[in-house]
Amino acid sequence: MRRRGIALQLMAILCFSLLDATGKWLNQTVPLMMIVWFRYASATLLVLVMVNPVRHPDVFRSRRPMVQLARAALLVASTFLNFLGLQTLQLADAVSIGFSLPLLVALMAGPFLGEWIGPRRLIAIAVGFLGVLVVTRPGANFQAAMLYNFGATLCYATYSILTRMISAQDSWRTTTLYSAMSGLLLTPLLPGAWVWPANGLVWALLCMTGVFGGIGHWLMILAHQRAPAAILAPFVYTQIIWMTALGLVIFGDIPGPWTLVGGAIVIASGLYLWARERAIRGE
């Protein structure tokens, strides 16, 4: 059962990598606003099929609607900033910065959830952010797009905290549906940004953004049903392999040594936090 969970987790990570690669490619052909809107519009259709509101009519009801709306806004902001950063960043650079997510969540869990961390984990977080600085190298190779990606990661970390806060009050169907529908908040802005896609490939890739995102989240839910989160967590870092490979094959990008070194530091820090968490829980 655990092996199936790990396999599903790996497939989910591949879907998220394909989503980022597709978004980066589409940035060259259509406005960013369109990419973000299509990513959630197509995901909404997919999720509606999966959760089946006819069989589950209460799926649209939330006990904490304001928290769900806040989550939705943060998720849209995270996607927008991520795709904005990918306009100029290599996929490997973006994912290395994104690996600071578990560090941010661990840091924010204290004030938001009352899950305070000890000095060892604080040091691990500091080392992890040092790894992010190695990737971005302020004053040497710094790009404004790196701030966009870090902002995207910060938004997603806050989104994750709110998701944990609401998980005991709303069903996974309700939370998944709100997440998918979040991008529809951009619908009033869509006419001003609309450009007709040049060909069928662009249309197909716009729709596939939602498919990659929706299926990725669904596979991750299935993975967590089959294996503990502590077992699945380290496999998130396999994304650096997919992102590097996709960047090389699609865009001809070769990550620099500082990206690899900084990414390794962030990954090591995240793995230490994971191991420390398991030790504290006695797993």
Side-chain angles (χ1 to χ4, degrees):
M1 187 66 76
R2 289 189 175 188
R3 289 182 180 178
R4 291 181 183 178
I6 291 170
L8 289 166
Q9 177 84 336
L10 292 172
M11 291 167 62
I13 297 304
L14 174 58
C15 285
F16 294 142
S17 300
L18 290 169
L19 169 60
D20 281 351
T22 303
K24 181 174 176 62
W25 189 88
L26 286 169
N27 264 319
Q28 305 169 8
T29 60
V30 293
L32 177 59
M33 189 71 67
M34 280 183 62
I35 302 172
V36 177
W37 186 87
F38 267 95
R39 181 257 182 271
Y40 288 102
S42 53
T44 298
L45 295 176
L46 183 64
V47 170
L48 284 172
V49 172
M50 291 167 54
V51 303
N52 195 346
V54 176
R55 291 182 57 188
H56 305 279
D58 60 340
V59 72
F60 292 100
R61 288 193 213 127
S62 170
R63 296 181 182 178
R64 301 281 300 276
M66 296 308 297
V67 176
Q68 289 286 13
L69 288 174
R71 284 179 65 256
L74 285 164
L75 187 58
V76 173
S78 176
T79 304
F80 187 91
L81 289 170
N82 181 47
F83 285 165
L84 184 62
L86 285 172
Q87 287 180 341
T88 54
L89 285 183
Q90 291 187 9
L91 291 172
D93 287 338
V95 76
S96 296
I97 296 170
F99 281 157
S100 62
L101 175 64
L103 313 180
L104 289 169
V105 171
L107 199 60
M108 297 166 65
F112 281 93
L113 302 174
E115 299 174 2
W116 298 97
I117 59 177
R120 293 184 184 180
R121 284 183 287 175
L122 278 174
I123 293 173
I125 289 173
V127 171
F129 284 119
L130 177 62
V132 174
L133 291 178
V134 171
V135 175
T136 57
R137 286 187 295 153
N141 192 39
F142 181 77
Q143 303 176 56
M146 292 175 173
L147 288 178
Y148 298 145
N149 276 79
F150 186 76
T153 306
L154 182 59
C155 287
Y156 197 85
T158 310
Y159 161 85
S160 299
I161 291 290
L162 293 182
T163 300
R164 288 173 60 181
M165 289 174 61
I166 207 171
S167 61
Q169 298 171 314
D170 284 351
S171 71
W172 70 266
R173 292 183 179 87
T174 299
T175 299
T176 301
L177 185 59
Y178 269 84
S179 298
M181 295 178 63
S182 59
L184 300 183
L185 297 170
L186 299 175
T187 301
L189 303 176
L190 188 62
W194 183 268
V195 172
W196 283 102
N199 51 53
L201 176 61
V202 178
W203 277 107
L205 290 178
L206 282 169
C207 293
M208 286 304 295
T209 56
V211 173
F212 288 140
I215 291 180
H217 283 288
W218 178 60
L219 289 172
M220 191 162 284
I221 290 171
L222 292 179
H224 281 79
Q225 290 174 347
R226 288 161 174 78
I231 297 294
L232 298 175
F235 292 95
V236 171
Y237 295 113
T238 60
Q239 190 172 11
I240 188 68
I241 299 173
W242 291 117
M243 295 286 265
T244 302
L246 289 168
L248 179 62
V249 172
I250 300 174
F251 306 104
D253 292 336
I254 300 176
W258 290 108
T259 298
L260 299 177
V261 171
I265 294 173
V266 177
I267 290 172
S269 176
L271 289 175
Y272 176 82
L273 284 173
W274 163 76
R276 187 68 185 156
E277 185 71 20
R278 290 193 67 185
I280 290 173
R281 293 184 179 183
E283 297 178 353

